[in-house]
Amino acid sequence: MVKLMKSAWGDVFAVIAGILFSLSFSPFDFSFLVFFALAFLKFSLAELSVKRATLRGFLFGLGLFGLGVSWVFVSMVVNEQSGYLLPLLMTLLYCSFWALFPAISAFLYVKNRVNNDLDWFVFASVWMFVEYIRGKWVLGGFPWLQVAYSQLDTPLSGYVPVMGAYGTGLIIAIISALMAESLLKKQYSSRYFFAIITLVSIGVLLQTVQWTTISGKSLTVSLIQGNIAQKDKWAVENRNATLKQYYDDSAAHWQSDLIIWPETAIPAYFEDVKQDYLLPLEQEAVANNADIITSLPYKDKAGNLFNSVLVLGKNRAMYKKIHLLPFGEYLPWQPVSGYLLGLMNVRLGKFSSGEIDQPLLNVAGHYFVTSICYEDAFGEQSIRHVEQAKFLVNVTNDGWFDGSIEPYQHMQIARMRALEAGRYLLRVTNTGVSAIVSEKGKIVNQAPVMQRVTITSDIEPMSGMTPYSRMGDKPTILIISLILLYSFINRYFLKN
């Protein structure tokens, strides 16, 4: 078997394994495949040179991201004016760039692997180290298709409130590496099997722990999914119809304590609609003892443009998006990226980031943590000030990706934030997936995609702190750093 892995067939299987890795995430949800895919990768690197291992990792990444982020193509042709050839080439380039990270993982692992019983730990630590770098630092962070998200509906989700996405990912990578080790070192297979059973059993036990508690009376919330097509959303001639639609859908649910609209539901600057639309809407909400959370672009006196969330009600306040989306709200790699997107007739805003330490917004007497679109992919941002918050709110516009797998992946990522924080999540999108998620990360109520619909449910305000909310990613990063340091020292002394 090891000889087969050294041949060209091993490279073919690497692409297939990458595809299987991607199939473990929503909307496919074959959660078990992530273990076999990662185990294959470790097994196939057993006797490869550093150069060949790097290629093997890149091919694995091509399979993973070639399927997993194929939706980027949809976003580039949404306006139906850019043709298909250039978006296709850009998509291939985009997928190839992210495929470099599994290649880096393979390179680092083979370069620093140890010939003892801790080799499985080195592989798992290297994989998660590279996931962390990709998810936190590259282009501001791209934490898509990270292993932990595949296990939200398995016993391993019990680790999430304790260790977060990266810590849970480390457990998954360890289990996968132990599976590979059981084939490479069959004399120890019973030992590895026992370790795997132990890790899964701990996850089952952790699932039974209630980390946070109900705090106060339940709230009735209504999430309004407007289903405004992306190509029509910003057309000036459609503005009044859009504003009337959201008003009518809200007026039908004045009995709710809280009504939430999706990201940039209002296709106009704050000052342009303040007097004639927002203030009358707010007065009516207050008269009905309700609060509205809406979203719209905001331009300050200096001309800086912000993607914002606005609370209308007794405690009017605004949150300005902190973590901007690369190639969506700002353009890295200028002027090349701007030139290429211009060729495809893709017009993007030039937004500024809001202050990091903004106060929490308050509705219905409760503070909540706000995130806009892509911000829900970052765990440590979502737990900032969470001790004061009773629930989480995310507003999103995934209309750029209609008909693709991206909205389902994004919903899966958002669920992780609820489980990490031990808080209900109210997630409202323009075209889907809109849902109410419990503090256990389970979907309580979900709207059908690509439909104009409002969903209403009762939620429980929660208080208390999960271990992850208290410590963040620091313990996981410390463990990974110590193992990597050990492997570097081990390699140095072996060479000398």
Side-chain angles (χ1 to χ4, degrees), residues 112 114 482-496:
N112 298 284
V114 294
L482 290 175
I483 292 298
L484 293 180
L485 179 62
Y486 161 78
S487 70
F488 295 149
I489 293 174
N490 183 282
R491 174 172 170 261
Y492 174 79
F493 281 109
L494 284 176
K495 291 183 80 172
N496 291 276

Side-chain angles (χ1 to χ4, degrees), residues 54-251:
T54 304
L55 173 62
R56 182 68 53 85
F58 179 74
L59 293 172
F60 181 91
L62 277 183
L64 194 173
F65 291 105
L67 172 61
V69 298
S70 57
W71 41 259
V72 74
F73 175 80
V74 177
S75 70
M76 287 187 280
V77 298
V78 69
N79 59 15
E80 300 176 351
Q81 298 176 14
S82 56
Y84 293 99
L85 180 58
L86 187 55
L88 179 61
L89 293 175
M90 290 287 288
T91 300
L92 292 173
L93 180 63
Y94 186 78
C95 295
S96 297
F97 174 76
W98 295 117
L100 292 173
F101 290 88
I104 294 170
S105 296
F107 170 83
L108 291 176
Y109 165 64
V110 172
K111 194 79 173 174
N112 298 284
R113 59 188 166 194
V114 294
N115 295 316
N116 59 38
D117 288 344
L118 284 180
D119 188 62
W120 52 270
F121 212 161
V122 173
F123 174 84
S125 297
V126 166
W127 182 267
M128 290 312 302
F129 169 74
V130 175
E131 275 208 354
Y132 183 79
I133 296 300
R134 172 169 69 87
K136 293 281 285 189
W137 303 110
V138 180
L139 294 176
F142 184 66
W144 230 259
L145 301 177
Q146 292 187 332
V147 288
Y149 294 107
S150 68
Q151 301 303 306
L152 279 171
D153 295 308
T154 76
L156 295 182
S157 66
Y159 286 96
V160 173
V162 180
M163 306 177 71
Y166 290 106
T168 305
L170 181 61
I171 299 297
I172 297 164
I174 287 172
I175 291 174
S176 302
L178 289 172
M179 290 169 60
E181 287 288 275
S182 68
L183 296 175
L184 294 167
K185 301 174 183 178
K186 294 182 180 179
Q187 68 272 29
Y188 301 128
S189 58
S190 59
R191 180 192 303 178
Y192 298 139
F193 179 75
F194 177 77
I196 291 171
I197 294 299
T198 300
L199 289 171
V200 174
S201 299
I202 292 172
V204 172
L205 291 174
L206 289 173
Q207 281 185 312
T208 65
V209 179
Q210 184 65 44
W211 298 104
T212 54
T213 57
I214 296 173
S215 176
K217 296 180 179 179
S218 61
L219 300 176
T220 301
V221 299
S222 293
L223 314 186
I224 298 179
Q225 181 174 286
N227 195 39
I228 308 295
Q230 186 61 37
K231 61 186 178 63
D232 301 327
K233 182 178 175 70
W234 295 99
V236 175
E237 62 271 20
N238 296 330
R239 178 185 298 176
N240 289 338
T242 297
L243 296 178
K244 183 178 186 303
Q245 173 181 317
Y246 278 107
Y247 171 82
D248 290 344
D249 289 348
S250 298

Side-chain angles (χ1 to χ4, degrees), residues 135 143-144 146 149 166 373-379 382 410 413-414 417:
W144 230 259
Q146 292 187 332
Y149 294 107
Y166 290 106
C373 195
Y374 190 58
E375 290 183 311
D376 65 2
F378 301 93
S382 294
H410 200 174
I413 289 171
R417 305 289 84 86

